[in-house]
């Protein structure tokens, strides 16, 4: 078991498979974002070595993310490899869904259990404006393919941005009336690259909830949390709504996560700059015991929480370079 100095059992690892992406969401990165060369990213065998190492330390839950994880070459084989690591009980993925129509079934067969798919609006014109390059129908087909393949329960993520999609939270919520999906609304967080949009156009979880309630009436609190999301239901709906208020009501005390970036550094808090490089020692002959000691030290020193309320914005990486 990997414990931090506050007694939290850190057992959930988010692995970013690449910083590359086939979209350019306005809240994530600038349009002219450059990406790391492949040789600077963890190679397939290095990902698997680290997955084994983290599992040996008690990590049992893995989420693959990015950038866009589905653009990584060999993504199906990487999933197959991680799913076979002893001790890993849960393996899921966060994706923009663009390539899922083709990949959902092979990913499921390789051992992927669930997906979270990002969809910020159901309006094709607004979708294009938000993602710069995206076609809404590709994502919609991806969601249907994921459901068909059994990558369930289907969870959808929407980042809400003032002036872009704050009215669309209602149509997205309406999806849950007839479908057993979980629609999750995420407060925009500030990082480097597009910090202005992220700080000036934020809509809070409370504002999102209010907008949805103005259409559907008071939401029913289920009393459950799903990870960081507080779960509600529209009266009589088949699916659920979740609100992720990382900025206004942080969930740091319950955080059990660590992040492994695509270039092989361990980041113990999404919103803190401190990082532990694992790739360089790995490529310079560090033993498994050396790497284990680095990870355990990083875990032990996991920050208690983020510093956004003191004006501390992490500026050493753009969101896609960390892994959401
Ligand atoms: N490309 C995949 C996707 O979009 O789902 C996975 C990586 S993306 C960085 C992971 C999640 O972070 C997505 O749900 C995305 O909407 C969200 N995200 C990106 N930038 C964000 C920001 N500034 N604040 C909050 N969430 C953000
Ligand atoms: Fe790509 Fe995901 Fe960032 Fe959008 S949020 S640009 S899909 S990494």
């Amino acid at each position: 078991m990997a414990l931090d100095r506050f007694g939290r059992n850190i057992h959930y690892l988010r692995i970013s498979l690449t910083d590359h992406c086939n979209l350019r969401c306005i809240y994530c990165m600038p349009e002219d974002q450059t990406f790391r060369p492949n040789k600077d990213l963890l190679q397939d065998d290095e990902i698997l070595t680290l997955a084994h190492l983290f599992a040996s330390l008690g990590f049992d839950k893995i989420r693959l993310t990015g950038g866009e994880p589905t653009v990584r070459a060999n993504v199906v084989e990487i999933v197959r490899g991680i799913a076979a690591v002893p001790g890993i009980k849960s393996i899921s993925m966060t994706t923009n869904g663009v390539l899922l129509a083709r990949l959902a079934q092979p990913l499921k067969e390789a051992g992927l259990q669930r997906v979270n798919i990002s969809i910020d609006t159901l309006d094709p014109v607004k979708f294009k404006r938000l993602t710069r390059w995206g076609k809404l129908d590709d994502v919609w087909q991806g969601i249907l393919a994921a459901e068909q393949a059994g990558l369930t329960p289907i969870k959808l993520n929407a980042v809400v941005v003032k002036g872009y999609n704050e009215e669309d939270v209602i149509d997205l919520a309406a999806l849950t009336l007839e479908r057993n999906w979980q629609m999750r609304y995420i407060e925009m967080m500030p990082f480097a690259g597009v910090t202005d949009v992220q700080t000036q156009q934020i809509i809070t979880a409370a504002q999102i909830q209010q907008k949805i309630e103005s259409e559907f009436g008071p939401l029913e609190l289920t009393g459950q949390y799903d990870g960081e999301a507080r779960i509600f239901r529209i009266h009589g709906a088949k699916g659920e709504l979740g609100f992720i208020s990382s900025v206004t009501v942080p969930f740091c005390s319950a955080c059990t996560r660590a992040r492994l970036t695509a270039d092989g550094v361990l980041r113990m808090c999404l919103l803190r700059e401190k990082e532990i490089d694992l790739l360089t020692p790995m490529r310079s002959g560090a033993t498994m015991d050396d790497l284990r000691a680095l990870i355990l030290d990083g875990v032990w020193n996991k920050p208690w929480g983020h510093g956004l309320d003191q004006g501390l914005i992490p500026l050493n990486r753009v969101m896609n370079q960390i892994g959401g």
Side-chain angles (χ1 to χ4, degrees):
M1 190 187 284
L3 287 180
D4 77 358
R5 66 208 150 108
F6 303 106
R8 292 174 296 188
N9 172 15
I10 313 304
H11 65 103
Y12 177 9
L13 182 66
R14 294 197 167 198
I15 304 178
S16 172
L17 294 185
T18 177
D19 59 339
H20 296 230
C21 189
N22 44 3
L23 300 182
R24 294 286 183 279
C25 302
I26 55 116
Y27 47 75
C28 181
M29 58 169 97
E31 186 160 19
D32 61 354
Q33 175 73 26
T34 53
F35 300 105
R36 289 186 161 79
N38 283 333
K39 69 173 178 43
D40 293 354
L41 304 184
L42 288 167
Q43 303 301 296
D44 297 3
D45 58 327
E46 291 167 335
I47 293 176
L48 278 183
T49 299
L50 288 173
H52 277 276
L53 196 52
F54 277 92
S56 74
L57 293 171
F59 283 75
D60 57 4
K61 184 174 171 183
I62 290 201
R63 173 171 295 274
L64 302 175
T65 180
E68 175 47 41
T70 60
V71 303
R72 166 97 189 201
N74 295 335
V75 61
V76 173
E77 286 315 308
I78 294 171
V79 167
R80 199 183 314 283
I82 294 175
V85 173
I88 299 299
K89 296 188 192 132
S90 160
I91 169 165
S92 58
M93 179 182 281
T94 300
T95 168
N96 62 30
V98 169
L99 298 177
L100 270 188
R102 175 155 60 81
L103 282 173
Q105 189 63 37
L107 285 170
K108 174 73 183 179
E109 283 164 13
L112 190 70
Q113 292 165 356
R114 284 178 308 281
V115 280
N116 284 35
I117 302 170
S118 299
I119 183 164
D120 303 326
T121 169
L122 296 179
D123 176 329
V125 175
K126 290 190 194 171
F127 184 81
K128 172 113 190 157
R129 189 168 169 243
L130 267 159
T131 60
R132 292 198 185 98
W133 296 1
K135 230 171 94 204
L136 179 66
D137 193 52
D138 292 341
V139 178
W140 189 254
Q141 294 308 323
I143 296 170
L144 298 181
E147 188 168 47
Q148 177 78 22
L151 291 168
T152 50
I154 294 286
K155 297 184 186 178
L156 305 178
N157 288 346
V159 173
V160 188
V161 190
K162 192 181 286 174
Y164 281 83
N165 64 338
E166 70 261 55
E167 298 308 326
D168 304 60
V169 299
I170 293 173
D171 285 351
L172 289 167
L175 290 174
T176 66
L177 293 174
E178 296 301 330
R179 295 175 180 84
N180 187 18
W181 295 352
Q182 189 184 88
M183 182 69 232
R184 302 143 61 92
Y185 301 95
I186 304 175
E187 273 177 356
M188 196 162 43
M189 293 174 280
F191 302 92
V194 283
T195 323
D196 286 358
V197 174
Q198 294 160 337
T199 49
Q200 288 160 28
Q201 288 166 251
I202 183 174
I203 303 273
T204 66
Q207 289 168 323
I208 300 166
Q209 184 172 345
Q210 209 173 29
K211 209 168 265 298
I212 295 171
E213 291 192 328
S214 70
E215 178 72 18
F216 299 103
L219 298 178
E220 295 168 359
L221 188 58
T222 63
Q224 286 155 12
Y225 275 86
D226 180 17
E228 69 278 43
R230 207 166 174 219
I231 302 302
F232 294 80
R233 198 182 279 278
I234 298 172
H235 181 70
K238 293 198 175 128
E240 297 171 336
L241 303 178
F243 296 93
I244 302 173
S245 53
S246 323
V247 178
T248 56
V249 190
F251 55 94
C252 306
S253 61
C255 181
T256 58
R257 292 174 189 179
R259 287 180 163 79
L260 181 61
T261 69
D263 57 328
V265 309
L266 181 62
R267 187 149 164 144
M268 295 306 304
C269 175
L270 177 61
L271 290 158
R272 294 274 186 187
E273 290 187 348
K274 188 169 172 8
E275 302 179 337
I276 299 109
D277 183 5
L278 298 178
L279 183 61
T280 309
M282 218 175 155
R283 288 188 181 170
S284 3
T287 64
M288 287 301 120
D289 280 344
D290 297 335
L291 292 171
R292 198 173 279 121
L294 280 173
I295 296 169
L296 285 176
D297 187 54
V299 166
W300 181 255
N301 290 301
K302 178 175 164 72
W304 174 249
H306 66 61
L308 293 182
D309 56 354
Q310 298 127 53
L312 292 174
I313 295 176
L315 293 175
N316 59 344
R317 282 176 186 259
V318 177
M319 176 59 146
N320 72 296
Q321 297 168 334
I322 305 172

